[in-house]
Amino acid sequence: MSSADLLSAGRVASACLAACASALVYLVVKGYHARRTFYRLRQQGMPMPPWNPILGHLLAVPPVMKTLPEDTQQPDAFEALCKAHEKDNMDSVIYLDMWPFADPMMVVCSPVLAVQACQEHDLPKPPILHAFFNPLAGGDNLFTMNGPEWKRSRALFNSGFSAGYVLQQTAHIVDEAEVYVEILREHARRGDMFSLDDVTCWYTMDIIGAVTLDSRLQSQTWHNPLATAMRRQIRWHVLDNEWNLLVRWNPARPFVQWYNNWQMDKYISAELDKRYAEWKQDSSTASSRSIIHLALAGYMAQQQDRPLPARLDPAFKRWATIQIRLFLFAGHDSTSSTICYCFYLLQSHPEALAKLRAEHDAVFGTDLSATAQTLRSNPHLLNQLPYTTAVIKESLRLFPPASAMRGGLPGIFLADAHGNRYPTEGTNMWILHSAVQRNPRYWRDPLAFRPERWLVAPGHPLYPPKGGWRPFEHGPRNCLGQTLAMLDVKVTLVLVVREFEVRAVYDEWDALNAAKVKGRVKTVNGERAYQTQMGGAHPADGFPARVRVRRER
């Protein structure tokens, strides 16, 4: 080897050593600051599990995990830790030191503290959210933005989710729901066991595709590259419950994710170009308030009186593509889970199912073949379903599809009714919706399915506590699509529950997968359909189900 080669190799080795040393120094400094934060919090008497100055709270997690299914969602484990270590003279909150796996964390299980974090202080979204959302949306998006950029984007899309405009989308939802119903009929004819969660995800993807892109994806019955790439991206990205390191660190993942990104961006780019060309030829298309048209409307407004460019600005296309991808992910993922849990809870509460069917008969009549057309011609009838709304809200209370994350700030404290003040500086606040919504300090019969909670008057023992129901969050950062999500679920229940009996068949699934479940915990709070992380929170094992057509009317 020549001297030049030796010199070059030496430089490379020196650079590698320098990089390794820098990384080591960063980890040591970061770890020191994390441990110092918790040393101070412990000195202040803040609630937390037993703390080790070297390992933090890492030793507190394994005992809890032994009591839960291996694939349960992380909030279940942190809720259990909160219950085990919260103090009687303090509200439901603990601090967790999970470094190097996470930054200092404040786990909030109290509606009182959640209201302060998300509404009174409106604390910012923390940078940690980028790691989860960027592979799905493709970059900084409406969910992760803060400040003026978020306000401009939120204002641009608000009109597309107004109650009046969303109700006008009922016909689009019914179109996709009829395909879903026919798929359920086919499963009923075959009498097979299938994943209801999977079937429902494709269904809600088609709904949000129609609302977002103003076109039908038809992913329930055909291969759609956009929908397929999004669903595949979720499967390859969300690995919170994957313990197999060969799967978790699969070297193929970056390449698969790159291909998924390319597929999604290519599809949406073509749609943007198509809509832009239509707009230039006929400005009447501007009356649509689909997400893609609202994005283009913002772009057109920036052009003012200048001649329209031949092609869309690449920077705008990139921004619009990211926001559209976010809506596609968020708009289908949580709604599909909610639909599944409505079926699950109604199956196990036949009295509630009977009331629901009676309400639908009273509003839509008993001719099931006419229901879809009635919905198209008179969508306002959906506002006459108080018990249906109560069923959906109670399902969302027991099985919320997500939680909230906020970043702490210097000088900002959360305060409880006992006079305690909890510092937020240097922490990421994880508001666990499932824990807040099942907190026995605030809810009567917190684990019971009681739709009547949403029909009683204030002062009744079942009446929900202030700020206690948070599946769509509250305050300025509440879910933009909550009206659409509620409409999707209502339409689905109206068209499905009177025609079908939908049953979870976990006993059958467990028998077929005995080697996987033998000797393992497979329930959370007594529920076999516990939540597992698959994008948002979804029913365990894909919700194995059977469907049969009802013979009773």
Side-chain angles (χ1 to χ4, degrees):
M1 180 179 292
S2 68
S3 58
D5 290 336
L6 289 172
L7 181 60
S8 177
R11 288 174 177 172
V12 170
S14 298
C16 290
L17 287 173
C20 292
S22 297
L24 181 61
V25 170
Y26 171 80
L27 289 173
V28 169
V29 172
K30 189 83 172 177
Y32 169 75
H33 283 292
R35 298 294 187 258
R36 186 177 64 173
T37 296
F38 277 86
Y39 174 79
R40 292 173 176 173
L41 289 170
R42 194 178 65 157
Q43 292 296 103
Q44 296 172 44
M46 293 295 104
M48 64 178 69
W51 181 76
N52 183 291
I54 304 298
L55 297 175
H57 291 130
L58 296 179
L59 296 178
V61 176
V64 170
M65 293 305 301
K66 290 180 180 179
T67 68
L68 296 168
E70 291 182 358
D71 58 345
T72 191
Q73 62 168 351
Q74 288 183 351
D76 289 335
F78 291 131
E79 178 182 358
L81 278 170
C82 189
K83 287 179 179 178
H85 299 288
E86 65 185 359
K87 297 183 178 181
D88 292 338
N89 62 340
M90 290 185 167
D91 211 335
S92 301
V93 59
I94 60 168
Y95 291 84
L96 285 179
D97 180 3
M98 303 301 294
W99 176 259
F101 299 101
D103 290 335
M105 189 184 309
M106 181 180 179
V107 177
V108 176
C109 304
S110 156
V112 172
L113 303 185
V115 166
Q116 295 173 44
C118 299
Q119 294 160 252
E120 294 178 12
H121 297 297
D122 187 22
L123 293 169
K125 297 294 185 74
I128 192 175
L129 291 175
H130 290 271
F132 177 82
F133 279 97
N134 282 13
L136 301 171
D140 198 16
N141 55 76
L142 190 62
F143 195 91
T144 58
M145 291 174 180
N146 287 300
E149 185 180 7
W150 169 79
K151 290 182 180 179
R152 285 194 299 268
S153 298
R154 173 83 180 212
L156 180 65
F157 294 119
N158 269 336
S159 65
F161 292 95
S162 66
Y165 183 73
V166 165
L167 198 61
Q168 295 174 26
Q169 306 306 304
T170 302
H172 293 313
I173 299 170
V174 172
D175 288 343
E176 307 304 341
E178 286 187 306
V179 179
Y180 181 66
V181 167
E182 185 53 42
I183 290 171
L184 294 181
R185 287 182 185 136
E186 179 59 29
H187 282 294
R189 284 191 287 268
R190 294 202 300 257
D192 61 344
M193 180 172 65
F194 66 100
S195 169
L196 183 66
D197 184 56
D198 186 58
V199 169
T200 308
C201 279
W202 292 115
Y203 161 50
T204 54
M205 178 68 80
D206 278 353
I207 293 176
I208 195 62
V211 173
T212 301
L213 297 173
D214 202 15
S215 63
R216 299 191 70 175
L217 300 181
Q218 296 182 314
S219 66
Q220 295 185 83
T221 53
W222 300 95
H223 169 78
N224 179 277
L226 173 61
T228 300
M230 175 60 78
R231 295 295 305 151
R232 187 169 55 228
Q233 190 78 329
I234 293 170
R235 289 194 300 272
W236 278 80
H237 170 55
V238 181
L239 297 168
D240 290 346
N241 302 317
E242 181 56 64
W243 294 94
N244 187 330
L245 297 183
L246 294 178
V247 175
R248 196 175 184 91
W249 295 338
N250 189 334
R253 178 167 295 104
F255 301 100
V256 174
Q257 291 183 325
W258 173 88
Y259 179 72
N260 293 336
N261 284 324
W262 177 78
Q263 285 277 69
M264 288 187 280
D265 292 351
K266 177 185 175 184
Y267 190 103
I268 296 171
S269 177
E271 287 291 314
L272 284 165
D273 289 338
K274 176 183 175 183
R275 302 300 177 188
Y276 183 56
E278 291 172 351
W279 194 315
K280 288 196 298 180
Q281 292 177 3
D282 181 6
S283 60
S284 65
T285 59
S287 60
S288 172
R289 280 189 273 171
S290 63
I291 298 303
I292 195 168
H293 280 95
L294 290 172
L296 284 169
Y299 176 75
M300 294 298 193
Q302 294 176 357
Q303 305 307 311
Q304 297 177 347
D305 297 327
R306 292 175 293 181
L308 291 176
R311 296 181 179 179
L312 288 170
D313 176 65
F316 162 76
K317 286 185 72 175
R318 180 64 185 154
W319 173 87
T321 297
I322 290 170
Q323 310 318 316
I324 289 170
R325 282 174 56 173
L326 173 70
F327 282 113
L328 288 171
F329 164 67
H332 93 278
D333 187 81
S334 57
T335 306
S336 62
S337 173
T338 301
I339 290 170
C340 288
Y341 278 116
C342 284
F343 292 146
Y344 174 72
L345 290 165
L346 288 168
Q347 166 200 337
S348 54
H349 295 84
E351 72 290 346
L353 180 57
K355 289 181 182 179
L356 193 75
R357 286 170 171 161
E359 181 175 76
H360 295 175
D361 284 346
V363 174
F364 295 99
T366 56
D367 183 0
L368 302 188
S369 64
T371 305
Q373 187 53 43
T374 301
L375 283 168
R376 288 189 180 94
S377 59
N378 194 359
H380 291 278
L381 290 175
L382 290 164
N383 294 327
Q384 299 177 24
L385 301 173
Y387 192 76
T388 303
T389 302
V391 165
I392 298 169
K393 294 184 76 170
E394 185 69 347
S395 300
L396 281 166
R397 183 186 73 82
L398 289 170
F399 296 102
S403 294
M405 185 78 74
R406 295 300 177 98
L409 294 175
I412 299 297
F413 295 79
L414 307 184
D416 65 20
H418 303 283
N420 301 299
R421 298 174 76 242
Y422 306 97
T424 69
E425 181 178 1
T427 70
N428 290 323
M429 277 159 286
W430 200 355
I431 295 98
L432 303 184
H433 289 170
S434 52
V436 170
Q437 296 175 173
R438 299 192 299 247
N439 191 327
R441 294 186 178 188
Y442 293 91
W443 293 86
R444 180 77 168 265
D445 297 332
L447 298 181
F449 177 68
R450 299 277 187 87
E452 293 75 17
R453 296 180 201 275
W454 310 100
L455 302 173
V456 298
H460 191 283
L462 284 178
Y463 192 77
K466 179 183 177 181
W469 189 75
R470 319 188 65 84
F472 300 114
E473 261 307 333
H474 294 286
R477 300 299 295 257
N478 66 352
C479 175
L480 190 57
Q482 59 185 289
T483 304
L484 175 64
M486 292 293 290
L487 184 67
D488 293 345
V489 184
K490 282 185 185 179
V491 169
T492 305
L493 294 179
V494 166
L495 291 176
V496 172
V497 295
R498 290 182 298 162
E499 181 171 350
F500 301 101
E501 297 283 358
V502 181
R503 297 184 299 114
V505 288
Y506 279 102
D507 288 346
E508 288 186 52
W509 192 94
D510 289 344
L512 291 171
N513 296 272
K516 290 184 178 181
V517 301
K518 185 178 180 180
R520 298 185 180 184
V521 179
K522 294 300 288 184
T523 62
V524 176
N525 293 321
E527 301 288 0
R528 179 62 180 84
Y530 58 86
Q531 293 178 291
T532 188
Q533 208 72 33
M534 289 295 294
H538 286 257
D541 302 310
F543 197 121
R546 288 187 185 273
V547 176
R548 70 176 180 88
V549 177
R550 289 181 67 218
R551 300 305 176 191
E552 301 175 6
R553 292 286 187 269

